[in-house]
Amino acid sequence: MTVHFIGAGPGAADLLTLRAVNLLERSSVCLFAGTYLDAAVLAHLPADAERIDTQRLDLDDITRLMAEAHARGADVARLCSGDPSIYSALAEQTRRLDALGVPWEVCPGVPAYAATAAVIGRELTAPEVTQSLVLTRAQRDSTKMPPGEELANFARTGATLALHLAIRHTDRLCAELAEHYGPECPVVVGYRVSTPEQLVLRGTLTSMPALVADAGLRQAAVILVGPALANDDFVESHLYSACRERLTGD
């Protein structure tokens, strides 16, 4: 049988892909992180499926449980918040499964930064304002960032930043980023976007630390930073411009 790493999206059950729902309906074992998941997602599982909250388990425990389920002939759903391609420990888990000879596959999901951008109705890239999006995270009491991936280096480009695992460091990050984007650069924080607990904060690099502190946010949030979040003074995309139509005859 197979271990299916499934992107659970930002939390809402109706933001799962059709493929994800199909896999959940066929899985008799499901491992999930309860901190980031709306309980309604688990309603897609068979009624008698084994549900295992991994909040207090380490990777060795999780791997053992998946391998044991596989040995019993069970299909396993390993739910990952957002999309498995970023900050999901997919690489560590699949490396362990490969060593054990346990087959696995990946089903993508809606990432939290995309869900937050949808809620505020903003495109994270704007013509001649910024055409790049950087997905990164904070680092203090966690895995070291590789050389060259300092936040200041990304900020110097002027790209839109989507900061994960960073909400507890909002004060420090906003102060650092203000040196490059300016203190009034727009910031959006999305907490458990798409779930009943959803909270969206809008502010600037100056005001956001106080807004986060007042809201008591400590986890399950993504921070978006960059001029594209509030800048309506941009040229029209060449792809759809009237100028292009005149040149190409399209």
Side-chain angles (χ1 to χ4, degrees), residues 5-19:
F5 289 89
I6 300 172
D14 61 354
L15 281 181
L16 291 169
T17 65
L18 292 175
R19 181 181 298 179

Side-chain angles (χ1 to χ4, degrees), residues 170-179 181-188 202-214 223-225:
T170 306
D171 286 25
R172 173 173 61 87
L173 295 175
C174 285
E176 182 177 348
L177 292 173
E179 297 179 12
Y181 289 99
E184 299 310 305
C185 179
V187 182
V188 173
R202 303 176 191 235
T204 66
L205 288 171
T206 298
S207 65
M208 188 54 72
L211 294 175
V212 168
D214 289 344
I223 304 172
L224 303 178
V225 181

Side-chain angles (χ1 to χ4, degrees), residues 162-235:
L163 300 170
H164 298 75
L165 310 174
I167 197 65
R168 290 185 298 155
H169 310 294
T170 306
D171 286 25
R172 173 173 61 87
L173 295 175
C174 285
E176 182 177 348
L177 292 173
E179 297 179 12
H180 303 280
Y181 289 99
E184 299 310 305
C185 179
V187 182
V188 173
V189 169
Y191 168 76
R192 293 184 62 83
V193 171
S194 80
T195 74
E197 295 80 24
Q198 172 179 299
L199 177 64
V200 176
L201 304 176
R202 303 176 191 235
T204 66
L205 288 171
T206 298
S207 65
M208 188 54 72
L211 294 175
V212 168
D214 289 344
L217 301 185
R218 300 288 296 168
Q219 60 183 1
V222 63
I223 304 172
L224 303 178
V225 181
L229 295 173
N231 194 333
D232 291 319
D233 184 19
F234 54 85
V235 302

Side-chain angles (χ1 to χ4, degrees), residues 123 125-131 234-250:
E123 187 176 358
T125 56
E128 296 189 13
V129 176
T130 179
Q131 290 289 280
F234 54 85
V235 302
E236 300 212 341
S237 171
H238 177 70
L239 180 63
Y240 299 109
S241 69
C243 177
R244 177 179 180 274
E245 291 178 3
R246 288 196 298 270
L247 291 173
T248 63
D250 293 341

